[in-house]
């Protein structure tokens, strides 16, 4: 079976992708070896390294990446540990390029958002740099074992960032995070090994694995192994319970990474592994995946109402919004895949903005308890404007990226010809309930925090400064640009999602719908 996305269309000259992955590692090593105990040098070095890394991404993808080509580009493939079959194999296509840039932007902004971190600043910023490298490697790896190593590596900095710089229950939240994600990773490893041994020759290369066919119960079991492994990170209900605790205890910059980047790894991996490598199994299980998406949307939205902590409410809204990614992936058509990609990009920006702005008024008020806040609109007018804008983007206000992404997913469902009309109508109706609930729980939070009874102790807190305003605008402005000009993002991945949908449909017949 020839899979369009497995074709190599350009061999890299300068190792752009290796530079993107390794530059933060080099910066982290230099920062670790930096003499002295300066509290300002670590953040300056980390900011400079990540700014240079983001510049490398923009230069490589603007000058050497052709969005119209659905094949892998800028490919680097070097034998590494031959006894294990491990290669340093990197490549980029429309599925990975926008998410690499998204991760680079949000990680840079998380460093800028961490300007006031004074406890062990050197270790803190070294961990952020290592996290940046691991994230890029996850999106760029074209070797299953290299992907798994990068996937595991990024767990360590996040665990430490929560455990050391988190809130009162940070040890519990960090341990829960690492247990969930590390145990789920066993499914990824076992499924990857099963694919590597399944053919006539042993290989971990994604392009070579994608040229094989995996049918029957074997393909279904491998698919389920990947689904559990990636579903924890997405997260898919009921594998989601680590997320509210992690967000509730992590500081705002780490929450930006969790919501803006880590959740997108799960969605990306589902497209790259479950759909691209196992299209026959995906066609059979797509209806079940669509049902899981509906559960995510409704459960996340309803659970958000019960949260009296600002960050936990936003965390449950992320569970709900990632349900639209599942819906898009389960449609098995180009519109649905496009909507899933756009939802990941959009939600990454919006959720990072919500968590960042909530961190601003936490620094001022020292509380995230909604009942203990009120009347902040007068004390924090800029903060109020930023949080309201992010909330409106999250509830899919027309003219903002959330609206475009969710309407694209809905259009994908309406044109999903593999499902009965009744099944599509029921899916749309249930998903629409989530759209109705979202503005209620978000705007009620805005009302209670900013327009509730004024609390005298919070009447004199200072508003957002210029640095904080810059970070928020760097997240909110792209949501407006994509909302008014969706092609700004869509043109980067549309050929790849269209090719992926075509190859998936060509591999077989969509499984019997649930109704």
């Amino acid at each position: 079976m020839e899979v369009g996305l497995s074709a190599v269309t350009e061999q890299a000259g300068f190792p752009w992708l290796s530079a993107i992955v390794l530059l933060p590692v080099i910066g982290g090593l230099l920062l670790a070896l930096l003499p002295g105990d300066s509290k300002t040098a670590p953040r300056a070095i980390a900011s400079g390294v990540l700014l240079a890394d983001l510049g490398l991404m923009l230069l490589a993808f603007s000058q050497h990446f052709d969005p119209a080509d659905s094949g892998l580009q800028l490919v680097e493939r070097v034998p590494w540990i031959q006894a294990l079959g491990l290669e340093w194999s990197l490549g980029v296509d429309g599925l990975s390029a926008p998410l690499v840039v998204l991760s680079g932007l949000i990680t840079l902004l998380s460093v800028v958002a961490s300007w006031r971190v004074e406890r062990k600043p050197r270790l803190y910023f070294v961990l952020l740099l290592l996290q940046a490298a691991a994230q890029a490697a996850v999106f760029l790896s074209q070797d299953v074992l290299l992907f798994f190593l990068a996937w595991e590596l990024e767990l360590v900095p996040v665990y430490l960032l929560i455990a050391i710089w988190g809130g009162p229950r940070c040890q519990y939240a960090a341990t829960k995070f690492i247990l969930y994600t590390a145990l789920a990773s066993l499914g990824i490893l076992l499924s990857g090994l099963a694919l590597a041994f399944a053919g006539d020759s042993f290989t971990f290369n994604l392009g070579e694995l994608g040229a094989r066919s995996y049918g029957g119960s074997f393909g279904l079991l491998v698919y389920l192994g990947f689904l559990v492994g990636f579903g924890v990170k997405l997260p898919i209900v009921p594998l989601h319970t680590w997320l509210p605790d992690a967000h509730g205890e992590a500081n705002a910059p780490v929450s930006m990474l969790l919501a803006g980047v880590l959740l997108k790894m799960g969605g990306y991996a589902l497209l790259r592994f479950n759909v691209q490598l196992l299209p026959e199994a995906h066609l059979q299980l797509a209806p079940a995946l669509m049902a899981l998406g509906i559960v995510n949307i409704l459960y996340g939205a309803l659970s958000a109402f019960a949260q009296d902590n600002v960050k936990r409410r936003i965390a449950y809204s992320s569970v709900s919004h990632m349900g639209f990614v599942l819906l898009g992936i389960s449609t098995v058509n180009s519109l649905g895949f496009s909507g899933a990609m756009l939802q990941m990009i959009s939600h990454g920006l919006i959720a990072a903005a919500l968590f960042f702005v909530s961190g601003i008024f936490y620094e001022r008020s020292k509380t995230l308890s909604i009942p203990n806040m009120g009347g902040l609109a007068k004390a924090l007018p800029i903060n109020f404007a930023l949080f309201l804008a992010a909330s409106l983007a999250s509830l899919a206000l027309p003219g903002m990226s959330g609206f475009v992404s969710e309407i694209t997913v809905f259009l994908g469902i309406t044109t999903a010809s593999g499902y009965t009309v009744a099944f599509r109508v029921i899916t749309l109706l249930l998903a629409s309930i989530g759209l109705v609930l979202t503005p209620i729980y978000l705007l009620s939070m805005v009302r209670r925090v900013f327009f509730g009874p004024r609390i005298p102790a919070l009447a004199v807190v200072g508003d957002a400064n210029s640095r904080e305003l810059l970070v928020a605008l760097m997240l909110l402005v792209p949501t407006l640009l994509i909302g008014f000009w969706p092609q700004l993002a869509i043109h980067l991945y549309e050929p790849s999602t269209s090719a992926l949908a075509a190859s998936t449909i060509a591999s077989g017949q969509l499984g019997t719908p649930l109704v």
Side-chain angles (χ1 to χ4, degrees):
M1 179 179 62
E2 183 69 22
V3 180
L5 290 180
S6 67
V8 176
T9 56
E10 182 180 339
Q11 187 70 30
F14 178 78
W16 291 101
L17 304 185
S18 292
I20 289 170
V21 172
L22 296 177
L23 180 59
V25 176
I26 296 170
L29 291 174
L30 292 175
L31 181 53
L33 298 173
L34 183 72
D37 297 320
S38 172
K39 293 186 177 181
T40 58
R43 69 191 185 195
I45 292 172
S47 300
V49 169
L50 291 177
L51 182 61
D53 202 42
L54 180 61
L56 268 178
M57 297 173 189
L58 296 176
L59 179 61
F61 298 154
S62 64
Q63 299 297 319
H64 304 282
F65 174 74
D66 181 8
D69 192 336
S70 64
L72 284 177
Q73 302 175 54
L74 300 175
V75 175
E76 303 167 25
R77 189 174 178 183
V78 180
W80 189 4
I81 306 176
Q82 295 185 354
L84 298 177
L86 175 61
E87 294 182 328
W88 180 261
S89 181
L90 304 177
V92 65
D93 62 3
L95 299 182
S96 51
L99 297 178
V100 171
V101 175
L102 176 71
S103 69
L105 174 64
I106 291 179
T107 310
L108 171 61
L109 295 178
S110 71
V111 168
V112 180
S114 305
W115 222 246
R116 295 182 179 178
V117 170
E118 295 184 355
R119 183 185 180 188
K120 300 180 179 178
R122 185 196 305 241
L123 175 60
Y124 181 89
F125 290 107
V126 166
L127 292 174
L128 285 180
L129 287 170
L130 294 179
Q131 179 68 17
Q135 290 166 180
V138 165
F139 292 125
L140 296 173
S141 294
Q142 297 302 316
D143 180 280
V144 175
L145 188 54
L146 180 62
F147 172 90
F148 176 77
L149 293 175
W151 185 275
E152 290 297 285
L153 177 61
E154 56 86 17
L155 301 181
V156 178
V158 176
Y159 168 78
L160 293 174
L161 287 167
I162 297 173
I164 298 175
W165 291 273
R169 300 177 71 245
C170 59
Q171 294 296 329
Y172 169 79
T175 302
K176 191 173 184 179
F177 163 78
I178 201 71
L179 286 175
Y180 266 71
T181 50
L183 288 174
S185 296
L186 290 176
I188 302 173
L189 178 61
L190 293 175
S191 294
L193 289 172
L195 292 182
F197 282 103
D200 296 331
S201 60
F202 177 83
T203 182
F204 282 119
N205 185 266
L206 288 179
E208 296 173 11
L209 293 175
R212 300 173 179 175
S213 178
Y214 310 96
S217 57
F218 174 80
L220 291 174
L221 286 174
V222 173
Y223 185 98
L224 291 174
F226 280 137
L227 182 62
V228 171
F230 302 140
V232 167
K233 191 66 69 71
L234 188 73
I236 298 175
V237 175
L239 306 174
H240 70 288
T241 59
W242 64 271
L243 183 66
D245 291 320
H247 275 304
E249 298 304 318
N251 65 15
V254 176
S255 286
M256 291 168 64
L257 285 176
L258 283 171
V261 182
L262 266 68
L263 304 192
K264 311 308 168 287
M265 292 180 182
Y268 164 80
L270 285 177
L271 287 170
R272 180 67 74 196
F273 288 81
N274 292 66
V275 180
Q276 183 177 329
L277 297 186
L278 301 160
E280 296 173 26
H282 182 64
L283 287 172
Q284 289 181 266
L285 295 176
L289 205 63
M290 186 170 284
L292 288 173
I294 292 297
V295 171
N296 257 56
I297 291 170
L298 297 180
Y299 177 86
L302 292 172
S303 297
F305 280 103
Q307 308 307 312
D308 281 333
N309 180 286
V310 173
K311 290 179 68 177
R312 288 182 68 90
R313 182 170 292 203
I314 300 171
Y316 275 105
S317 80
S318 293
V319 174
S320 181
H321 282 92
M322 293 307 289
F324 287 97
V325 175
L326 287 175
L327 289 187
I329 293 173
S330 64
T331 60
V332 198
N333 60 31
S334 57
L335 263 179
F337 287 174
S338 177
M341 281 294 299
L342 192 57
Q343 177 71 350
M344 286 192 279
I345 297 168
S346 172
H347 179 264
L349 296 167
I350 295 169
L354 282 170
F355 281 114
F356 172 68
V357 179
S358 67
I360 298 177
F361 54 74
Y362 173 75
E363 285 189 0
R364 273 69 171 175
S365 64
K366 301 304 178 185
T367 182
L368 287 170
S369 174
I370 297 175
N372 294 331
M373 307 171 79
L376 287 180
K378 288 188 176 181
L380 302 171
I382 298 176
N383 218 32
F384 162 65
L386 296 174
F387 195 79
L388 179 62
S391 298
L392 293 175
S394 184
L395 61 83
L397 182 75
M400 306 189 86
S401 60
F403 173 78
V404 182
S405 60
E406 292 181 11
I407 200 67
T408 305
V409 171
F410 272 64
L411 291 174
I413 296 172
T414 62
T415 56
S417 57
Y419 298 92
T420 64
V421 173
F423 186 77
R424 281 180 276 168
V425 170
I426 292 172
T427 300
L428 289 169
L429 288 175
L430 292 175
S432 298
I433 295 174
L435 292 183
V436 173
L437 294 175
T438 303
I440 298 175
Y441 67 71
L442 283 176
L443 294 182
S444 67
M445 177 171 63
V446 172
R447 176 183 57 80
R448 293 173 65 187
V449 170
F450 292 99
F451 294 102
R454 296 191 66 184
I455 298 176
L458 303 181
V460 294
V461 294
D463 208 351
N465 57 39
S466 56
R467 173 184 57 84
E468 293 164 335
L469 180 60
L470 175 64
V471 172
L473 291 178
M474 288 293 290
L475 294 166
L476 291 173
V477 169
T479 67
L480 285 170
L481 293 176
I482 295 173
F484 282 100
W485 186 26
Q487 198 63 25
L488 182 69
I490 292 174
H491 87 282
L492 293 173
Y493 60 76
E494 190 171 36
S496 293
T497 53
S498 297
L500 180 58
S503 64
T504 305
I505 293 170
S507 68
Q509 183 67 37
L510 184 63
T512 303
L514 300 180
V515 293

